[in-house]
Amino acid sequence: MKINGLAIENTFAEAFNMKASRIIVTADNTKWARNAAVSFTGFATSVIACGVEAGIEKQLTTKDTPDGRPGFSILLFSMSRSQLEKQLETRAGQCILTCPTTALFSGLDGEDMIPLGKNLKYFGDGYQISKRIDKKRFWRIPVMDGEFMCEEMTARIPAIGGGNFLLLSKNRSSCLLACELAVNVMSKIDNIITPFPGGVVRSGSKVGSKYKALIASTNDAFCPSLSGITGSKLHKSVNCVMEIVINGLTKEDIDKGIRESLIAISKSKYKKDIVSVSAGNYGGKLGQHHFHLRKILK
Amino acid sequence: MKPLILKCKIKGKQRLDMSWLSNIKASKLSDIKNILISYGSKQYKLSTLFDVSGDNFEDIVIKNSHVHLDNIGSRLKDKKITVNGNVGYGLAKGMINGEIIVKGNVGKNACSGMKGGSVHILGNADDGLCSLPTSMNEGLVDGFIYVKKNVGDNSIIRMRRGNVVIGGDIGSGSCLELISGSVVILGKIGKNFCYKARRGTIFTKDKSVSREYIKANETDLTFFNFYKIKINKMLKQNLISSSKPLRYFGTKSERKLVELFVI
C-alpha cells in the first residue's frame, strides 16, 4: 500500500491500557509557564524507568485558562493509579510549586479523582487558604513571590499508551526531518502527546535481553548497523530508523495522530528518502490495542 | 419534557408551607394533583390551590408566587425550582443541592443552613439571609448564592464555606463570626460588619470597612483574577470588573486571617 507514493507496510503498532490525567499550568507569561511545563515533563519518556510518561499537549491562550493567564496543558500517562498519583504530586511539588508566578489546575473532569494540590497545601504551614468554588476546592499557598494557587484534585481516566510508527529511511537527516514534521503535525492535535525527546525515539526496544537484569534491550531487527548479522527486518537501502511513540486519551485520537502525520510526510519532500513506514509490536500478544497502519490510512 | 408548572390560585392571608415540594416522588401528574397539603386549618388537594401541568418533576416552575409561600426549596436535593414572583420566609432552608431561581424578592431567613447547590435571587432578600438555623452552628455550610439587589440585617452568620454575591447593599450585623468562604458585596455595607470573623475573603466596593484591616501587598492577584473570571462566568455578566484591587489581610485588633479586596 502506498499513500502519495509513501510505502506503508502491512503491520500494526501494539499499545497498552494506561491511566491518564491532564493538568493546566499557568504563569504571568508564556516563558515561565513553559519553564514549569518543561520541568514537569522532564524525565518522563517511558514508564519503564520514569514512572510516568508526560508531555505538553498544547499551549493555551489567556481565554482558555482558568485564571486568564497564558499556560500549557500537560498529559500524564502511567500504568497504575499509585504511580500516577505519586508522580503527579512529586512533580507538581518540585517543578511547579517552585517555579515563579505559576498556578496549577486540573484539566479533566471525572468521577475517579486523584490528589493534585491536596498534600501540597501543607507547605503553607497553616497559612494556606482553602476556597471551594463550583464544587471544586482550590488551595492558596503563600510563597515568596506571592501565592501558589492549585486545585485540590484532578481526574484520572483510562487511556492508551504506546501507539507508534517507524520511519525507515535511506539517510538520517531526511528521517529526522520527516519525524520533526510528524511531531509538529501531532502537536496540533488535542488529547495526544509524544513523550520522547522532541517526540522521537531512536532506541526502539524489544522485550527481554541476553542480560538477565534487563527487561528490555535494543530492537536489533531494526538496527541498520546489525542488518548483516541479525535477523534484520530492514531492506538493504535502509540506513536509519526512527520511531514516534504516541500516547492518547482514546484510540481515535491516536488514529488521527498517525493518519495526519503520515499524510503530511507523504506530501513532503522527505518522502523520497523514506523507504517505508512500519510499526512496533510484540506479536500482538502483550498490548490490548492494535493500530493497523493500513486500516488507519484507508 | 415540560417542567412541572404550579400556578398559584390563592391570594389569601394564610401562609402556605411549601416544603413538601422538595420531596415530590410521584411518577404521574394525577398523583401530584392529589397531594394533600395543609392550608390554614384544613387540608386541600394540590389541584385546589394550584393549576398543575407538566411532566418533568425534577424541574419545577411556580407561577403567581407571593409572600405567603414559605419554605420553598427547603432541604432541596437534585431538583430545579424557578419561582416567578416573591416568596415568603425560609427559601432554600437546609438545601442540599440543586438550583433555585427566584424572579422576585424573598422573605426572612432565606438560605439558612444551606449545604450546597445554587440560589439566584433576582430581587431583594430580607433580614437573616444565611442565618443560623436551630440545631446548627453554621449559617451557610456550602453553596452559591447570588442576590441581585439588597440584603437585610443580620445576614451571613457563621459562614463555613461557599460563595455569596450581593449586587446591592447589605444591612448591619452581617458576616458575623465568619469562619471561611467568599462574600462579594457591590453596594454599601452596614454597621458591625465581619464582627468576630476568623477567616474568609470579602470583595467589596465599600472602602470604609478597610479601616480595620492591615494593608497587604498586591503583587500576586492570581486568586483575585481567577475568582473574578469564575464568578463572572457563573453569573454570565461582568459583575466584578476591577483589575487592580486594594488588598488587605488580617484585622488590626485580633490579627485574624480575614482577607479583604477593595475592588
Side-chain angles (χ1 to χ4, degrees), chain B residues 7 36 60 63 76 82-83 89 116 121 124 131 135 146 149 151 162 196 214 218 222 227 238 240 249 251 257-258:
Chain B
K7 193 172 178 182
L36 290 172
I60 301 163
K63 290 185 175 177
L76 186 76
T82 308
V83 185
Y89 62 74
I121 299 164
N124 299 301
S131 59
S135 79
Y146 170 57
K149 293 181 181 173
V151 173
K196 287 204 168 181
I214 301 162
E218 294 144 18
T222 309
Y227 195 77
N238 200 21
I240 306 173
F249 192 41
T251 52
L257 298 177
V258 180

Side-chain angles (χ1 to χ4, degrees), chain A:
Chain A
M1 179 186 179
K2 286 191 174 183
I3 299 290
N4 299 324
L6 180 69
I8 309 294
E9 291 184 10
N10 187 17
T11 185
F12 62 91
E14 197 170 342
F16 300 87
N17 283 331
M18 292 183 99
K19 313 294 176 197
S21 188
R22 181 193 277 128
I23 58 163
I24 292 170
V25 56
T26 66
D28 277 1
N29 55 48
T30 308
K31 179 184 171 183
W32 284 101
R34 182 180 280 113
N35 282 344
V38 168
S39 176
F40 184 95
T41 55
F43 188 57
T45 55
S46 168
V47 287
I48 292 173
C50 306
V52 72
E53 295 178 9
I56 294 173
E57 183 191 11
K58 60 181 172 181
Q59 187 174 340
L60 301 172
T61 64
T62 52
K63 287 179 183 172
D64 302 325
T65 56
D67 61 357
R69 301 191 299 167
F72 288 88
S73 130
I74 295 169
L75 285 174
L76 295 96
F77 295 80
S78 183
M79 300 304 278
S80 71
R81 182 195 171 102
S82 57
Q83 267 295 340
L84 191 64
E85 272 185 38
K86 185 184 164 194
Q87 291 289 333
L88 188 58
E89 280 198 330
T90 310
R91 286 164 187 266
Q94 298 303 310
C95 307
I96 296 182
L97 169 67
T98 54
C99 183
T101 78
T102 56
L104 182 60
F105 302 96
S106 163
L108 277 177
D109 286 322
E111 290 179 357
D112 187 7
M113 304 301 281
I114 54 173
L116 184 58
K118 192 179 179 182
N119 296 317
L120 293 182
K121 71 185 177 197
Y122 295 114
F123 185 71
D125 199 23
Y127 294 102
Q128 69 271 26
I129 298 172
S130 155
K131 287 290 163 196
R132 216 172 119 84
I133 307 163
D134 208 9
K135 295 175 187 169
K136 289 180 178 176
R137 189 187 292 279
F138 300 86
W139 287 99
R140 300 168 60 193
I141 302 164
V143 284
M144 293 196 297
D145 76 341
E147 213 170 56
F148 172 63
M149 189 174 168
C150 64
E151 202 164 327
E152 185 176 66
M153 307 289 277
T154 187
R156 183 196 73 153
I157 56 170
I160 301 168
N164 67 74
F165 59 84
L166 304 166
L167 292 184
L168 282 53
S169 173
K170 290 176 188 169
N171 62 63
R172 194 152 84 171
S173 60
S174 291
C175 193
L176 195 57
L177 289 168
C179 284
E180 284 178 20
L181 176 67
V183 171
N184 193 30
V185 168
M186 282 190 273
S187 69
K188 295 183 179 83
I189 299 172
D190 288 352
N191 303 335
I192 58 170
I193 56 160
T194 49
F196 283 90
V200 189
V201 198
R202 63 127 177 232
S203 59
S205 57
K206 67 174 185 292
V207 177
S209 162
K210 68 183 277 189
Y211 304 106
K212 286 179 185 174
L214 293 183
I215 55 169
S217 60
T218 192
N219 194 355
D220 50 75
F222 283 91
C223 291
S225 58
L226 300 176
S227 60
I229 54 171
T230 60
S232 180
K233 290 183 179 175
L234 302 178
H235 188 266
K236 282 178 186 172
S237 60
V238 175
N239 288 306
C240 176
V241 179
M242 287 187 190
E243 180 180 3
I244 295 180
V245 175
I246 310 152
N247 291 357
L249 298 187
T250 65
K251 188 174 187 306
E252 289 71 32
D253 294 324
I254 297 175
D255 279 351
K256 189 180 177 188
I258 294 173
R259 184 170 52 246
E260 292 194 8
S261 53
L262 288 182
I263 288 171
I265 292 170
S266 74
K267 289 176 180 173
S268 73
K269 60 184 177 184
Y270 316 119
K271 174 184 66 180
K272 62 180 172 46
D273 289 333
I274 306 295
V275 176
S276 67
V277 179
S278 184
N281 61 60
Y282 310 97
K285 289 173 187 170
L286 289 178
Q288 297 84 0
H289 304 276
H290 297 165
F291 293 89
H292 292 269
L293 296 181
R294 290 185 177 181
K295 277 186 189 172
I296 290 169
L297 289 161
K298 253 182 191 175

